[in-house]
């Protein structure tokens, strides 16, 4: 009887809170410009569909497997703004439930290929909760008026026991023979890569109880997974090492940060973990003063830490570096007395909120806009990314920094052949931002791919006019006008022997025809036409990170 009374009280309280939110808060769709049309969500297609429209030919030594890309696909028609007596709060462009888009490549017994496409939401606990309610329910809790964001924190926690949704919309990674979908604000969720069905959350058998980076790294040699988790409350930054089979947390260390740093990625070398500490912070106390949850201190202090694999806070060797914002690392490795770190560096943080009251579209538009292909100014181009190298001398403590890609093209979402993570490498690949179109849309659009040759100086015919800072050779695979890509991944060649033996695969969208395709580009013949172009049965919205998972022959 006591149990029944208690449950009745909880149900009554829940209904009262729901009624209160329904009466005080009003959800409104955030409109999309015509130039933002392919950021709009799509429906699940259902069962996997065989794809037969292929231009070119899938190579015989292409690896069998699944190309899967994650990205935000908001429920209920799109991102929302919420109005109340407390002000307004907004979903930002990085929010929206995760949706996976997959291409399955299977080689039949006669040597021919069968290709299947499917898409499916990542069904997190909060996804199931909102779909059962059949309406927007979680109040936006990242951007907006400080009082409205605080109210969202309190009411979301009272109603659902969580401050915000578990988005699982950023990346996909593989470890211990399993594939996971992830976003920074919670644990990874296992995915059945053959069906895209969502399975259980992964907490490493109960040993990991905090957020989890979207970009864990496999340590070269051991196959152990190096991870970290940042939180808005202490402890702010914890590093972990997980066994190669994914069953055991081998090491866990609190780095004893004094503030919460919004770090997106960790690096590894053969002996070290590489820690990025840049001046973008999460601070709930700012909300009480009328400020924003996220803040980027332009020109603020920045450093890079080199931590022994199983080290602690006291064992990290810190290097003071020029102020930077780097969300994505290309690779790290050891060379003599130096640890070399390569990543995409920008003057400002794309995830930081504009100042309160400032027009968000105009802020992003100015940030993407850089003029005359020259160095960015204070007022424009602060979201321009270049490939940057830090050489950290472990003996002398000195730092040498260099802009490798110059100032002609903005680049982000870098990667290397996965067999070379943590090792010295010759090549890297990036998505190239179309700064003009991104500025017009106020959202990032990638109009080309780039291949970087780290051991070669730029050739005369590859040196862009006015791009004197370019220090290495770069090749570009350019798309047609109004064609943009997301989520590239490296596909290794079967029995390949060279670092660039393989292909870059990426989803592309033609904004004129509204057609989505997958391009397969030969990494060793980068500027040539795509080896194959696969036309998809439905539109694939722009998203974030992709992965190619090699599988066994299913014929």
């Amino acid at each position: 009887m006591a149990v029944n009374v208690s449950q009745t009280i909880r149900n009554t309280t829940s209904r009262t809170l729901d009624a209160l939110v329904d009466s005080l808060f009003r959800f409104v769709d955030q409109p999309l410009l015509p130039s933002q049309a392919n950021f709009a969500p799509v429906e699940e297609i259902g069962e996997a569909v065989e794809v037969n429209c292929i231009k070119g030919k899938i190579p015989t030594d292409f690896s069998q497997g699944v190309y899967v890309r994650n990205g935000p696909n908001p429920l209920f028609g799109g991102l929302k703004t919420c109005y109340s007596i407390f002000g307004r709060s907004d979903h930002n462009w990085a929010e929206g439930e995760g949706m996976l888009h997959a291409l399955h490549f299977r080689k039949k017994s006669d040597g021919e290929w069968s290709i299947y496409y499917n898409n499916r939401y990542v069904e997190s606990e909060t996804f199931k909760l909102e779909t059962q309610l059949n309406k927007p329910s979680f109040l936006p809790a990242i951007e907006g008026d400080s009082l409205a964001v605080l109210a969202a924190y309190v009411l979301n926690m009272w109603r659902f026991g969580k401050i915000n949704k578990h988005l699982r919309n950023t990346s996909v990674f593989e470890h211990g023979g399993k594939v996971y979908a992830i976003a920074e604000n919670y644990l990874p969720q296992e995915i059945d890569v053959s069906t895209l069905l969502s399975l259980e959350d992964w907490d490493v058998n109960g040993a990991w109880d905090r957020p989890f980076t979207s970009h864990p790294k496999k340590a070269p040699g051991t196959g152990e997974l190096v991870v970290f988790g940042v939180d808005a409350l202490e402890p702010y930054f914890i590093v972990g090492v997980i066994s190669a089979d994914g069953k055991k947390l081998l090491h866990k260390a609190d780095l004893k940060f004094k503030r919460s740093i919004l770090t997106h990625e960790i690096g590894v070398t053969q002996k070290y973990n590489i820690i990025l500490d840049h001046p973008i912070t999460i601070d709930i106390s700012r909300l009480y003063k009328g400020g924003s949850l996220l803040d980027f201190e332009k020109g603020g202090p920045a450093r890079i830490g080199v931590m022994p694999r199983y080290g602690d806070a006291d064992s990290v060797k810190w290097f003071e570096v020029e102020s930077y914002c780097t969300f994505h690392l290309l690779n790290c490795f050891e060379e003599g007395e130096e640890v070399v770190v390569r990543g995409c560096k920008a003057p400002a943080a794309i995830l930081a909120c504009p100042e309160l009251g400032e027009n968000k579209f105009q802020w992003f538009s100015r940030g993407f806009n850089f003029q005359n292909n020259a160095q960015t100014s204070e007022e424009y181009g602060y979201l321009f990314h270049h490939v940057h190298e830090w050489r950290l001398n472990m003996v002398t403590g000195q730092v040498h920094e260099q802009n490798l890609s110059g100032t002609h093209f903005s680049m982000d979402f870098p990667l290397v052949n996965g067999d070379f993570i943590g090792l010295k490498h010759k090549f890297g690949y990036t998505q190239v931002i179309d700064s003009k179109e991104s500025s017009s849309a106020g959202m990032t659009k990638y109009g080309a791919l780039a291949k970087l040759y780290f051991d070669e100086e730029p050739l005369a015919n590859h040196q862009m006019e006015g791009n004197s800072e370019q220090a290495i050779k770069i090749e570009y695979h350019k798309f047609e006008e109004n064609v943009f890509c997301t989520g590239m991944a490296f596909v290794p060649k079967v029995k390949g022997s060279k670092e660039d033996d393989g292909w870059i695969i990426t989803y592309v969208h033609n904004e004129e025809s509204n057609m989505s395709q997958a391009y397969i580009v030969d990494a060793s013949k980068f500027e040539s036409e795509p080896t194959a172009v696969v036309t998809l049965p439905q539109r694939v919205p722009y998203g974030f990170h992709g992965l190619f998972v090699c599988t066994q022959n299913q014929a």
Side-chain angles (χ1 to χ4, degrees), residues 2-267:
V3 171
N4 289 338
V5 170
S6 175
Q7 184 63 46
T8 299
I9 292 173
R10 284 198 295 270
N11 291 340
T12 302
T13 302
S14 177
R15 288 195 296 269
T16 302
L17 281 172
D18 289 345
L20 177 67
V21 170
D22 289 342
S23 64
L24 293 180
F25 292 84
R26 179 169 56 95
F27 287 93
V28 176
D29 287 331
Q30 294 180 12
L32 290 174
L33 298 171
S35 60
Q36 300 170 337
N38 198 45
F39 291 93
V42 295
E43 298 295 325
E44 291 182 333
I45 199 169
E47 297 301 317
V49 175
E50 187 166 9
V51 178
N52 295 310
C53 186
I54 303 171
K55 179 183 177 182
K57 190 174 178 62
I58 308 299
T60 56
D61 47 4
F62 192 83
S63 294
Q64 293 187 94
V66 184
Y67 166 51
V68 57
R69 197 220 66 197
N70 206 345
N73 199 81
L75 284 169
F76 312 115
L79 299 175
K80 308 297 180 185
T81 293
C82 195
Y83 293 93
S84 71
I85 59 174
F86 305 105
R88 62 178 281 179
S89 60
D90 304 290
H91 288 140
N92 70 26
W93 62 273
E95 294 184 90
E97 285 68 25
M99 177 176 275
L100 304 174
H101 298 264
L103 269 182
H104 302 257
F105 293 86
R106 301 169 185 169
K107 200 170 188 180
K108 296 183 287 189
S109 57
D110 61 1
E112 294 298 313
W113 290 90
S114 60
I115 303 174
Y116 291 83
Y117 166 81
N118 198 8
N119 71 331
R120 196 180 293 274
Y121 275 109
V122 183
E123 295 189 357
S124 67
E125 178 187 351
T126 59
F127 170 89
K128 293 177 181 177
L129 192 155
E130 267 200 325
T131 52
Q132 288 169 1
L133 293 171
N134 199 30
K135 63 180 181 180
S137 302
F138 277 84
L139 304 174
I142 294 180
E143 289 185 5
D145 299 326
S146 55
L147 191 58
V149 173
L150 284 170
Y153 282 179
V154 173
L155 289 169
N156 287 343
M157 182 59 72
W158 281 354
R159 296 171 75 204
F160 308 118
K162 309 171 198 312
I163 288 176
N164 209 342
K165 292 187 282 188
H166 302 156
L167 299 173
R168 306 272 171 64
N169 66 8
T170 306
S171 188
V172 220
F173 69 92
E174 180 275 330
H175 188 64
K178 297 180 179 181
V179 176
Y180 302 91
I182 182 65
E184 256 85 1
N185 69 339
Y186 198 58
L187 296 169
Q189 186 165 357
E190 186 183 348
I191 301 297
D192 182 337
V193 75
S194 63
T195 63
L196 300 187
L197 289 173
S198 301
L199 304 176
E200 299 298 317
D201 295 348
W202 184 41
D203 61 5
V204 199
N205 290 318
W208 192 265
D209 59 354
R210 60 188 291 109
F212 195 105
T213 175
S214 292
H215 296 288
K217 290 292 193 309
K218 284 190 180 182
T222 67
E224 295 166 348
L225 194 69
V226 181
V227 307
F228 72 93
V230 297
D231 209 333
L233 302 174
E234 291 188 274
Y236 294 125
F237 197 112
I238 287 182
V239 174
V241 182
I242 299 171
S243 61
D245 61 9
K247 296 179 179 179
K248 186 176 180 181
L249 184 65
L250 303 175
H251 183 67
K252 189 175 182 181
D254 177 5
L255 296 196
K256 299 181 181 178
F257 279 21
K258 302 301 182 184
R259 57 180 185 168
S260 179
I261 309 297
L262 185 59
T263 300
H264 185 60
E265 185 155 15
I266 194 166

